[in-house]
């Protein structure tokens, strides 16, 4: 489906990045480094002019199954968003096209050297991805071992609500989750 959307014409200041080209280069680079893909999915909007994609890499160990290394892709043909790649055991995305990765987030306008810059970033990302990924998993392990008392948890939630970080609906959801975690 992402390959069916016609690539716009290059202009003096706009160098398009094809949705499928972006997907292919990221998958090829990770597979060349010895990583396998366990799943991927894509969302197109605005008649295919905007694409959001997720690529999940196959876990190499039991530890990796809880937070698999994931790569988010973002691209647009209508110049509404820069091309983006984010990766890590934790990635964030929103349908408003915001992406973020716990290890790396790369955003680049569709200008002259977009492919060269993306290629350089992918080299760095892939060469250090496993090391950074293991480091993030170590952090997650350490955090899951921390114990927070109910009193401290209520203080944290109250502070977040008092500083308007958690709005009332979010506060109520967080409080229910604290009292009875899923």
């Amino acid at each position: 489906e992402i390959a069916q959307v016609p690539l716009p014409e290059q202009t003096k200041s706009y160098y398009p990045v094809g949705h499928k080209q972006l997907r292919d280069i990221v998958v090829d680079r990770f597979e060349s480094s010895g990583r396998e893909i366990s799943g991927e999915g894509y969302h197109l909007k605005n008649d295919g002019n905007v694409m959001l994609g997720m690529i999940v890499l196959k876990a190499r160990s039991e530890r990796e199954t809880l937070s698999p290394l994931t790569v988010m892709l973002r691209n647009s043909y209508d110049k509404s968003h820069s091309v983006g790649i984010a990766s890590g055991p934790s990635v964030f995305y929103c349908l408003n096209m915001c992406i973020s990765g716990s290890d790396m987030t790369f955003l680049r306008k569709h200008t002259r050297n977009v492919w060269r810059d993306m290629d350089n970033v992918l080299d760095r990302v892939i060469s250090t991805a496993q090391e950074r990924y293991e480091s993030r998993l170590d952090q997650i392990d350490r955090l899951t071992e921390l114990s927070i008392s109910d009193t401290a948890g209520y203080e944290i939630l109250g502070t977040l609500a008092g500083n308007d970080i958690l709005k009332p609906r979010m506060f109520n959801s967080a409080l229910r989750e604290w009292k009875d975690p899923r």
Side-chain angles (χ1 to χ4, degrees), residues 1-60:
E1 189 176 340
I2 61 174
Q4 303 306 313
V5 183
L7 189 66
E9 292 291 318
Q10 178 177 318
T11 67
K12 192 174 178 179
S13 61
Y14 175 74
Y15 290 72
V17 172
H19 299 330
K20 178 131 176 24
Q21 289 173 292
L22 176 61
R23 177 256 175 224
D24 289 349
I25 193 170
V26 170
V27 167
D28 289 347
R29 298 293 285 280
F30 272 101
E31 287 180 340
S32 295
S33 76
R35 295 302 303 246
E36 293 180 53
I37 307 302
S38 68
E40 56 188 302
Y42 300 89
H43 173 77
L44 292 171
K45 66 183 200 175
N46 295 355
D47 296 323
N49 286 307
V50 178
M51 186 267 303
L52 187 64
M54 179 185 285
I55 300 168
V56 180
L57 301 176
K58 188 175 181 181
R60 293 177 159 177

